[in-house]
Amino acid sequence: MAFLSVITVAFRNYAGVVKTWQSLAHLEQAGIPFEWIVVDGLSQDGTEEFLENCNGQYNLRYVSEKDKGIYDAMNKGIAMAQGQYAVFLNSGDIFHADAAQFVRQMQQDSNNGKVMYLGDALLDFGDGNKLRRTAKHGWYIYHSLPASHQAIFFPVNGLKQYPYDLKYRVSSDYALTARMYKLGYQFKRIKCLVSEFSMGGVSTSNNIELCQDAKAVQRKILHVPGFWAELSYRLRLRTTGKAKALYNKA
């Protein structure tokens, strides 16, 4: 049984899938037992043919079919996952060379089980400059995700019980993580760089909807007071606006 399930959602991004596939070598070379699950939204750009030609490398399993959006596709990946932990690296996202070291520390941790492991990530704004997002303490969940989604390793049994809620169109990753936290899954940070991804995704381009979604998560799932949710909303609007501006300059 694989220790780690790497789940990749793809749609019309053949080059991104290849890029993600190439970074999996970091885990293989370190002897990490993992599987690669790809959920492709019927791209018809060569992605399915590429996956077929992988011949099951990295314990690959995949589907290529229409879905209801990225979170629906992620839920399909969760249903297929057989590992103990899962991380979401979507097409174009890559593992950093230190990712294997991170996973080894997870394997050696006697407290794993109901734990979400947090790592650091590199944010690429496309202009040659990259910003490291350092994982924060678990209490940060009351404002936002304490780490980038691509640097959170979730227990698969928890994901299968509490999958992504499609009513949160932009912040379902925040909702899922918050729900698991409230149900007893704790955070544990490992000081290590795990992944790298390009800005410009849904959360960057739809930053206002992101902030509104997040506010709903805080009120309905985390049960934070209204004044704190409003303050958090204003702070988030400022920071996501800056990220959007930086990306648009690239």
Side-chain angles (χ1 to χ4, degrees):
M1 179 180 176
F3 177 76
L4 180 65
S5 298
V6 182
I7 301 175
T8 299
V9 170
F11 183 60
R12 297 177 182 173
N13 190 2
Y14 170 84
V17 172
V18 174
K19 185 178 178 182
T20 302
W21 166 75
Q22 290 171 334
S23 78
L24 298 177
H26 294 308
L27 300 186
E28 183 187 49
Q29 292 166 3
I32 301 296
F34 73 97
E35 62 178 359
W36 188 30
I37 296 171
V38 181
V39 182
D40 172 50
L42 203 61
S43 297
Q44 299 182 335
D45 63 349
T47 295
E48 185 175 7
E49 290 78 6
F50 169 76
L51 296 172
E52 181 67 27
N53 290 333
C54 284
N55 294 317
Q57 183 186 21
Y58 302 139
N59 298 309
L60 168 66
R61 286 177 291 123
Y62 71 92
V63 294
S64 184
E65 60 189 26
K66 290 184 178 181
D67 54 58
K68 300 175 183 177
I70 188 170
Y71 294 122
D72 179 46
M74 287 179 173
N75 282 341
K76 290 183 180 182
I78 291 169
M80 296 170 64
Q82 297 176 353
Q84 184 176 344
Y85 278 83
V87 63
F88 295 89
L89 278 191
N90 292 332
S91 55
D93 300 340
I94 62 173
F95 277 123
H96 188 270
D98 294 341
Q101 176 186 339
F102 182 98
V103 179
R104 283 199 202 97
Q105 291 186 59
M106 287 176 56
Q107 290 176 302
Q108 295 166 2
D109 185 10
S110 60
N111 295 317
N112 62 20
K114 294 192 72 171
V115 176
M116 293 178 281
Y117 289 93
L118 310 176
D120 299 348
L122 281 179
L123 284 59
D124 186 351
F125 286 90
D127 58 357
N129 293 317
K130 297 177 181 180
L131 176 68
R132 181 167 180 159
R133 186 188 179 193
T134 302
K136 297 176 174 60
H137 290 289
W139 57 261
Y140 196 78
I141 190 67
Y142 288 101
H143 170 60
S144 184
L145 284 175
S148 298
H149 190 223
Q150 297 88 338
I152 303 177
F153 291 69
F154 297 93
V156 169
N157 60 359
L159 290 175
K160 288 182 181 292
Q161 284 185 275
Y162 312 105
Y164 292 95
D165 188 337
L166 303 190
K167 74 181 179 184
Y168 296 102
R169 294 184 61 251
V170 185
S171 293
S172 192
D173 50 354
Y174 182 37
L176 177 148
T177 310
R179 182 174 291 109
M180 289 182 64
Y181 175 73
K182 292 296 285 185
L183 292 169
Y185 289 83
Q186 299 301 306
F187 294 114
K188 184 168 184 177
R189 183 194 171 199
I190 296 177
K191 296 181 180 180
C192 189
L193 197 53
V194 174
S195 59
E196 178 178 333
F197 63 96
S198 298
M199 298 297 288
V202 172
S203 62
T204 304
S205 56
N206 298 338
N207 65 308
I208 294 178
E209 186 175 3
L210 169 73
C211 296
Q212 293 171 341
D213 257 14
K215 186 175 181 180
V217 170
Q218 291 166 343
R219 295 292 287 149
K220 296 178 181 179
I221 299 175
L222 294 169
H223 306 297
V224 302
F227 75 89
W228 169 251
E230 182 62 29
L231 176 61
S232 176
Y233 173 83
R234 293 176 183 274
L235 290 172
R236 185 191 296 268
L237 198 62
R238 181 182 301 176
T239 56
T240 56
K242 288 180 179 179
K244 184 175 182 180
L246 281 172
Y247 173 73
N248 288 336
K249 286 179 183 178

